[in-house]
Amino acid sequence: MSNATLESLSDWGLEPALEHIERAQRSDGLILWYPEGPADPWDHVESAMALSIAGREDAARRAYRWIADAQHDDGALWATYGEAEDNDGAHAGDEPRKETHRSAYVAVGAWHHYLCTEDRAFLQELWPTVRDALEFARRQQAPTGEIYWTVGPDGEPYEDALISGCASLYKSLACGAAIADVLGHDEAGERWLAARTDLGEAIRTRPDRFDRTWESKSRYAMDWFYPVLCGVLTGDPARNRLEAGFDRYLEAGLGCRCVADEPWVTVAESCELVVSLAAVGRTERAREIYDWLFQWTDDEGVFWTGYQFEDEEFWPGERPTWTGGAAVLAADALSGLSPAADLFTDPRPE
């Protein structure tokens, strides 16, 4: 890692977040939400991406090798891991399920790590993991384009879909296609781009295919900005979508509400909104929101999950690693700390 990168991360006040991530990483590579806590594959990758930006390459590689080791024969991962694991690695107390967006997000992390390091050999090492994860997700794609949320312990998909989860999958498929292009796996890349095209069309034009069997998730901020964050919407449609949600989700001086009807701002959602704004060229507003977030750190400079502004307390009383990871990714998007800075602000790879 260059001195310039070190100085930039220090200037942004992000070294405590990075140290917190490394403290929560187990010896086998899994990054817990916090020391002795649970974990999930999506947030694990989010934290690993922060390590790559910071040049902590050994820790990042161990994180991705954990995914390769934990991956099932069908290409999936359990939805949760960590404390009180059973013999199969699933988090005790949760229904053992395999969520498509959590399993597939390794493609985003692998491509991000390659952009940061240009380590083609490690990308090649991760190829079977990425390939199998994306094929698991692709097998759960409905004829109407959406990708089902999860597969149950009986191996059957739950035939409903999430806007935010499918937007994440849209990004995973794009990154997987970019990896396939670099490594010369053209057929796989073509399959994933075709699946991505159908998925994007469903997200943009078929709202009836989402939240069909449960209450609408539209009150969650992720449903608002994830199609922008992940490149499903670009240009004026993306800008218009963000503008339409500010009054509902943004709390001036505090951050982005996690849920529209709850008095609770969360750092991770706020950081992802920052990246979404940067993606549509609203960098001044993105930086303003980002600067609000450093009031939500502890005495060491580690981010709390969020702030309940009616009760005037940090809630819950946790400091998740993935929250710090999101903060590092947002700083990168705003200032170009790493070669992967435009991963979310440029809609490519196509």
Side-chain angles (χ1 to χ4, degrees):
M1 178 167 53
S2 70
N3 290 334
T5 303
L6 277 169
E7 291 167 3
S8 297
L9 289 170
S10 178
D11 291 343
W12 283 80
L14 294 170
E15 283 294 319
L18 290 160
E19 295 294 336
H20 184 58
I21 290 170
E22 286 208 277
R23 284 195 300 270
Q25 187 173 33
R26 297 194 320 197
S27 60
D28 63 358
L30 177 61
I31 301 172
L32 305 173
W33 289 0
Y34 40 82
E36 309 305 322
D40 74 83
W42 199 102
D43 290 317
H44 167 84
V45 170
E46 184 95 334
S47 295
M49 291 164 74
L51 295 173
S52 298
I53 291 168
R56 304 183 184 205
E57 296 176 18
D58 289 344
R61 281 192 292 267
R62 287 196 295 115
Y64 292 117
R65 285 177 175 137
W66 176 86
I67 295 176
D69 291 341
Q71 189 178 49
H72 296 197
D73 290 343
D74 62 0
L77 296 163
W78 292 126
T80 51
Y81 291 83
E83 63 180 14
E85 287 178 9
D86 65 20
N87 291 334
D88 292 324
H91 183 200
D94 289 349
E95 177 188 0
R97 63 180 187 273
K98 300 171 178 179
E99 296 180 11
T100 50
H101 69 284
R102 292 189 182 190
S103 294
Y105 205 59
V106 64
V108 178
W111 179 241
H112 178 270
H113 187 77
Y114 175 73
L115 293 176
C116 286
T117 64
E118 297 185 353
D119 188 345
R120 183 188 173 94
F122 188 62
L123 190 68
Q124 182 68 59
E125 179 184 331
L126 289 178
W127 168 252
T129 304
V130 170
R131 177 197 64 208
D132 293 352
L134 290 178
E135 287 301 309
F136 164 73
R138 194 177 66 87
R139 288 195 299 273
Q140 317 315 321
Q141 188 164 31
T144 42
E146 76 275 17
I147 294 178
Y148 295 139
W149 165 58
T150 196
V151 171
D154 59 358
E156 293 299 316
Y158 191 112
E159 294 187 356
D160 205 346
L162 298 163
I163 289 286
S164 57
C166 281
S168 175
L169 284 159
Y170 185 87
K171 190 67 177 180
S172 294
L173 289 162
C175 291
I179 294 169
D181 183 60
V182 167
L183 298 179
H185 299 289
D186 295 342
E187 290 186 8
E190 290 170 4
R191 285 197 306 274
W192 299 336
L193 289 178
R196 177 178 179 260
T197 296
D198 293 343
L199 178 59
E201 185 69 13
I203 297 170
R204 287 186 289 266
T205 68
R206 295 295 305 272
D208 58 299
R209 298 305 303 168
F210 299 87
D211 299 338
R212 292 179 293 109
T213 63
W214 51 61
E215 184 180 354
S216 170
K217 304 295 184 183
S218 62
R219 54 196 283 265
Y220 290 88
M222 292 173 67
D223 265 31
W224 165 45
F225 60 72
Y226 253 63
V228 178
L229 176 68
C230 298
V232 183
L233 297 176
T234 59
D236 286 339
R239 281 185 283 272
N240 293 340
R241 185 181 184 93
L242 293 181
E243 286 293 337
F246 282 131
D247 289 344
R248 187 180 188 196
Y249 297 103
L250 192 64
E251 198 69 23
L254 302 180
C256 180
R257 293 180 185 233
C258 179
V259 186
D261 53 353
E262 294 288 346
W264 179 42
V265 295
T266 49
V267 174
E269 275 79 2
S270 298
C271 288
E272 291 171 335
L273 174 59
V274 164
V275 178
S276 302
L277 286 165
V280 299
R282 301 292 172 84
T283 53
E284 186 174 339
R285 189 163 202 189
R287 181 60 192 260
E288 178 188 24
I289 294 169
Y290 190 75
D291 288 344
W292 298 342
L293 304 180
F294 287 84
Q295 62 189 305
W296 313 133
T297 60
D298 66 8
D299 291 340
E300 297 176 356
V302 178
F303 291 96
W304 296 101
T305 302
Y307 182 71
Q308 217 281 8
F309 51 84
E310 285 189 357
D311 295 340
E312 298 184 344
E313 65 179 8
F314 297 116
W315 190 86
E318 298 169 353
R319 303 172 303 161
T321 49
W322 41 267
T323 293
V328 173
L329 284 162
D332 197 21
L334 290 173
S335 63
L337 298 175
S338 85
D342 66 353
L343 178 65
F344 291 97
T345 57
D346 185 332
R348 294 172 293 175
E350 294 292 348

